[in-house]
Amino acid sequence: MALHFELVTPARLVRSDDVYMVVVPGTEGEEGVLEGHAPFMTTMRDGAVRIYKTEGAAPEEIRVTGGFAEVGENGLTVLAEHVEG
Amino acid sequence: MASLKELKGRINSVKSTQKITKAKQMVAAAKLRKAQAAAEAARPYASRLAAVMGSIAGKVTVSESSPKLLAGTGKDQVHLLVVANSDKGLCGAFNSNVVKAALSAARELEGQGKTVLFYLIGRKGRAVIRRAYPKAVLASFDTTSVREPGYAEAEAIADELMALYDEGKFDVAHLFYSKFKSALQQDPTQQQIVPVPTQSAATKLDAGAGSAVDYEPEEEAILAALLPRYLRTQLFGALLENSASEQGASMTAMDNATRNAGELINKLTIQYNRSRQAAITTELIEIIAGAEAL
């Protein structure tokens, strides 16, 4: 099973993918989100979101500033003001 | 009747005007497509943020300790009207419609005894508003150096507005911009942006938002972090709508202008041909009359 992950900036939808796990740099600590995570919301530190495409794969990093993460029924949505890379 | 040379000159000048309006129309059509795509691309972020705001705002009660952006200053005296215009003309009544809406709102607020201030985005509306309210223009934002409105501009405007708000320069802010309906129709729209109207955000609350959600940090802190972002997004959306509207209005206005120029050219050409024919006929009559006299 896969986690649906979306990364959205005001200008565009950067990423919409099914991935294994995403590690989000929350303000109160890193948060690894897998499929079936309980609904939650957090603000984010400026830092890198790590995306694990498959289990054990090397993570892909996307630097994000002004971010906000939301986990709901439709998976993980990261709203970010700026995205690098 | 105008001489042949004069007529020819006029026809040529109308023709070159038509070339310009036609070129501008095509440019506007291309830009409109781009602006619409940009507005489309911005929608997911705005709708998600609005949904999140709505679900949080529904859970937080507005109190004295709430962030000022949400609770307001407790007064309702000074109103700031943020008017978004374009930098270029040649777009019909686009700018004047927005300015008219802003001015009528200003008069209404003044009628209620409020103080009205203006914050102007773009170059076009400045002169009109300065003339009507010479001392009320608080600040303006220059967009002449940017070709398309981006999030950076929205950020800069929002930051400036929030700084002014923190200084206590105004209590309530309204945003005036043109909402894009179609290339033929753009509606001047008024929207309250400061304090952030939670009621309207809360109505967008969807059914799933009522479920148990963990917040980290707690709701109030998230709300405080999201409010400035929400304001920026609102401004960004308005800027995008405005630029799409500008291009739409420009396209329509230039299409009309091109058609009018075409009609004028036809009329002038007929007039030119008639006068030429008249001149030839007179010349012939003169020759025949001369020959008969001999």
Side-chain angles (χ1 to χ4, degrees), chain B:
Chain B
M1 198 185 263
S3 79
L4 284 181
K5 191 153 185 289
E6 271 170 23
L7 276 173
K8 200 154 198 176
R10 276 201 69 192
I11 291 172
N12 280 334
S13 102
V14 176
K15 264 187 188 158
S16 49
T17 310
Q18 191 189 28
K19 268 181 204 151
I20 293 168
T21 57
K22 204 167 188 177
K24 174 84 178 125
Q25 182 202 342
M26 287 193 282
V27 169
K31 280 194 178 161
L32 172 64
R33 217 165 299 142
K34 233 168 135 190
Q36 267 181 302
E40 198 87 18
R43 226 160 268 158
Y45 184 88
S47 62
R48 296 239 164 84
L49 195 59
V52 170
M53 284 286 298
S55 67
I56 297 180
K59 293 198 174 99
V60 177
T61 44
V62 177
S63 63
E64 295 274 300
S65 59
S66 306
K68 245 170 85 182
L69 267 178
L70 186 69
T73 51
K75 284 179 295 180
D76 182 29
Q77 182 53 38
V78 185
H79 285 245
L80 182 73
L81 306 185
V82 183
V83 186
N85 273 139
S86 70
D87 290 320
K88 297 196 184 82
L90 292 180
C91 46
F94 165 72
N95 285 313
S96 61
N97 279 344
V98 176
V99 168
K100 236 186 266 163
L103 287 178
S104 78
R107 273 191 290 274
E108 199 176 300
L109 285 168
E110 281 202 322
Q112 293 164 15
K114 315 273 191 217
T115 316
V116 176
L117 290 172
F118 286 95
Y119 182 94
L120 306 176
I121 304 168
R123 204 164 57 93
K124 273 291 162 188
R126 260 182 234 174
V128 187
I129 289 174
R130 280 238 170 87
R131 207 178 312 130
Y133 292 89
K135 294 202 181 76
V137 178
L138 188 60
S140 52
F141 187 82
D142 195 19
T143 50
T144 39
S145 56
V146 280
R147 292 183 72 187
E148 278 139 32
Y151 194 63
E153 280 75 49
E155 240 177 343
I157 294 167
D159 289 349
E160 206 179 331
L161 285 179
M162 281 186 283
L164 290 168
Y165 188 59
D166 285 338
E167 285 167 32
K169 288 264 166 60
F170 63 90
D171 301 317
V172 182
H174 305 272
L175 176 64
F176 288 86
Y177 66 100
S178 220
K179 207 175 185 89
F180 182 81
K181 278 262 170 73
S182 70
L184 289 169
Q185 200 190 353
Q186 301 87 28
D187 293 345
T189 309
Q190 177 183 359
Q191 187 185 348
Q192 186 184 325
I193 47 170
V194 176
V196 174
T198 41
Q199 256 58 50
S200 70
T203 50
K204 287 177 193 151
L205 210 148
D206 44 50
S211 59
V213 178
D214 285 334
Y215 293 97
E216 190 190 304
E218 67 278 14
E219 285 99 320
E220 278 85 1
I222 290 187
L223 191 59
L226 282 187
L227 281 169
R229 229 170 273 177
Y230 187 68
L231 181 61
R232 277 177 217 148
T233 315
Q234 293 283 307
L235 279 166
F236 182 56
L239 286 182
L240 288 175
E241 287 274 349
N242 218 36
S243 83
S245 299
E246 181 198 349
Q247 299 307 339
S250 171
M251 200 175 99
T252 316
M254 286 305 111
D255 185 42
N256 282 337
T258 310
R259 211 167 305 136
N260 283 345
E263 272 168 31
L264 194 55
I265 289 171
N266 284 344
K267 242 165 64 189
L268 285 172
T269 313
I270 288 172
Q271 205 184 340
Y272 174 78
N273 287 342
R274 287 221 176 109
S275 352
R276 195 183 50 130
Q277 196 56 54
I280 292 168
T281 315
T282 329
E283 219 169 281
L284 276 176
I285 289 171
E286 273 166 11
I287 292 169
I288 293 164
E292 270 175 4
L294 285 174

Side-chain angles (χ1 to χ4, degrees), chain A residues 10-40:
Chain A
R12 68 203 163 98
L13 182 67
V14 180
R15 189 65 78 80
S16 176
D17 253 342
D18 285 332
V19 297
Y20 169 68
M21 177 170 82
V22 178
V23 177
V24 172
T27 17
E28 298 188 343
E30 303 240 315
E31 187 86 27
V33 181
L34 283 150
E35 202 259 332
H37 197 288
F40 98 121

